[in-house]
Amino acid sequence: MEDKYDVIVVGAGPAGGAAAFFLGRAGQRVLVLEKAELPRYKPCGGAISAGLLARFPFSFDPIIESDIIETAYVLGDRTVRIPVPRGAIQMVMRDRFDSWIVSHAEAEVRTSSTVRLIVENEEQVVVETASGERFTASYLIGADGANSIVANKLGLRQKRQMAAAVEAEIPVDPEVMKRFADKSIFIFGEVRKGYLWIFPKAGHLSVGIGTLRRERTDLKKTLERVMARYGISLEGAKLRGHPVPIYRRHETISTERALLVGDAAGLVDPFTGEGIRMAVKSAQLAAQAIVAGDIAQYQRSVHREIGRSHLYGRVLASAFFYFPRASFTLIAQNPLLTQAMVDLISDRADYPAVISRLILGLPAYIAKATVAAVANGIGSVLGRRQARAEVEPKIATRNLPDDRR
């Protein structure tokens, strides 16, 4: 006899764990199917915001690796440093973070359970695992990542766009660790339509490179070359590549009884490549739709709460990556915009708000920068004139006969 649940969640990452938590809290009988054993390593930068953690009624203090108090943007020989309020952005390791959320969920969790068959009908969803176990539920949530089996089996997101990332966890000596502690570094200009990063964890550095388009560039070699510049050796490190699903448009991410969340729904930020925040947001929206018995509202809610902002984010990403130097000057070096980006990552703003600040604040920023440039130019001219004024009398004196000096 098949076990019957209210909801089956496939995948125990941030999206799956969050969905299980919010559904269990609402009194739903939930089954989580995870193909690996928990905890399991997942390649991920691991940056999370205070706004994200505030969605849960329990503390994450036991699994926080580090607090970020400064973000730096680098392009060539230019570096912009932005202070970050303590606690606004923190770092985690995904194995501990994912397991921590799942451990707080009122749900049955089955690990080493790979889904191989999904059948949806008017009354229920039937899920069969590779070991032959069969489970039924009123609803199904696909939280199984970029290469979602749930999406494939249900014919959803067939024309998904994938980006690529390569990451590594690097042990470093105390001197190097001290240099990067409390700081998140973003390095632009080394790969088209992408960036590299350096994030501090409790006892090591998380480094990586990501691009929002398919590249012929050898990402691993570029990562090794740039990290060497910062005194970070990747010799002997295990580099892990993984696909990153990029949000392109308003897509179908649900059926009558199944919903995709997080990376499975392709909700990765089109500018920063961030995925955890959208995973948790979409999981909460999915849980709300199921509890309300109105699955149709889910897709509308995702577009309103996430997708609409992402469309603006694609515009900003295109402008930034196609015109990196001009954008770096107008955006990264603009204190109004850099603070807006911190607010975005901290879940206090969306891309329309960021772009609005750019449009409204740009004239004043350009005027201020122009005045500073003119002042520097005038200062340089006056300095050169003063230098000449001091040198010319000496030259004239040297040319006089001895009796006239």
Side-chain angles (χ1 to χ4, degrees), residues 84-97:
V84 177
R86 184 171 292 278
I89 300 175
Q90 297 174 310
M91 293 292 166
V92 298
M93 291 295 294
R94 277 285 306 278
D95 54 352
R96 300 177 66 207
F97 181 74

Side-chain angles (χ1 to χ4, degrees), residues 6 22-30 106 291:
D6 294 315
F22 293 121
L23 286 165
R25 200 175 183 213
Q28 302 285 303
R29 187 182 183 214
V30 182
E106 296 178 28
V291 171

Side-chain angles (χ1 to χ4, degrees), residues 48-56 60 85-90 277 345-348:
I48 55 174
S49 69
L52 167 74
L53 301 185
R55 292 175 179 269
F56 298 94
F60 283 81
R86 184 171 292 278
I89 300 175
Q90 297 174 310
R277 181 163 49 96
I345 298 171
S346 301
D347 216 23
R348 296 193 298 264

Side-chain angles (χ1 to χ4, degrees), residues 19-297:
F21 174 80
F22 293 121
L23 286 165
R25 200 175 183 213
Q28 302 285 303
R29 187 182 183 214
V30 182
L31 170 66
V32 178
L33 299 176
E34 165 59 42
K35 66 180 181 180
E37 286 290 333
L38 296 176
R40 81 287 181 256
Y41 176 82
K42 279 286 185 180
C44 179
I48 55 174
S49 69
L52 167 74
L53 301 185
R55 292 175 179 269
F56 298 94
F58 53 86
S59 173
F60 283 81
D61 287 350
I63 55 104
I64 297 298
E65 295 277 316
S66 64
D67 277 312
I68 299 300
I69 62 173
E70 180 183 277
T71 291
Y73 301 105
V74 180
L75 178 65
D77 59 356
R78 291 187 287 176
T79 299
V80 177
R81 303 181 188 280
I82 309 300
V84 177
R86 184 171 292 278
I89 300 175
Q90 297 174 310
M91 293 292 166
V92 298
M93 291 295 294
R94 277 285 306 278
D95 54 352
R96 300 177 66 207
F97 181 74
D98 296 0
S99 295
W100 186 252
I101 295 176
V102 170
S103 71
H104 286 80
E106 296 178 28
E108 180 181 340
V109 181
R110 296 191 180 219
T111 57
S112 300
S113 297
T114 300
V115 172
R116 73 175 182 186
L117 178 67
I118 298 172
V119 178
E120 179 183 356
N121 56 44
E122 293 182 357
E123 297 180 351
Q124 62 186 14
V125 181
V126 180
V127 177
E128 184 176 305
T129 67
S131 63
E133 293 180 293
R134 290 171 63 90
F135 307 97
T136 63
S138 299
Y139 299 102
L140 172 68
I141 291 180
D144 48 341
N147 296 314
S148 171
I149 293 175
V150 175
N152 290 335
K153 296 295 184 182
L154 298 178
L156 299 173
R157 300 196 63 243
Q158 296 300 297
K159 296 182 179 180
R160 70 193 74 171
Q161 177 180 333
M162 293 290 187
V166 175
E167 306 182 44
E169 310 294 335
I170 308 297
V172 294
D173 61 51
E175 182 181 341
V176 175
M177 193 69 207
K178 184 178 180 180
R179 207 156 26 101
F180 294 100
D182 306 331
K183 302 175 183 66
S184 57
I185 316 294
F186 297 89
I187 306 160
F188 298 94
E190 303 289 346
V191 60
R192 287 195 306 162
K193 214 168 183 181
Y195 61 88
L196 294 89
W197 65 87
I198 304 171
F199 293 160
K201 299 300 174 66
H204 68 277
L205 297 177
S206 177
V207 303
I209 180 172
T211 173
L212 302 182
R213 59 177 292 171
R214 292 191 178 275
E215 283 281 335
R216 293 182 180 179
T217 304
D218 189 325
L219 296 181
K220 291 184 179 181
K221 286 186 178 179
T222 302
L223 179 62
E224 290 172 350
R225 173 176 57 79
V226 177
M227 289 304 114
R229 189 188 306 160
Y230 286 84
I232 302 171
S233 173
L234 271 62
E235 185 177 355
K238 186 172 184 178
L239 274 62
R240 297 176 171 88
H242 63 94
V244 180
I246 298 300
Y247 188 89
R248 294 191 303 164
R249 62 183 182 276
H250 193 181
E251 296 183 289
T252 300
I253 55 173
S254 64
T255 64
E256 300 227 348
R257 294 194 169 274
L259 309 87
L260 302 179
V261 295
D263 283 11
L267 298 179
V268 170
D269 189 301
F271 186 23
T272 67
E274 179 193 4
I276 297 177
R277 181 163 49 96
M278 275 57 70
V280 173
K281 270 189 174 184
S282 59
Q284 193 167 17
L285 293 173
Q288 291 169 353
I290 289 174
V291 171
D294 184 4
I295 300 304
Q297 81 174 25

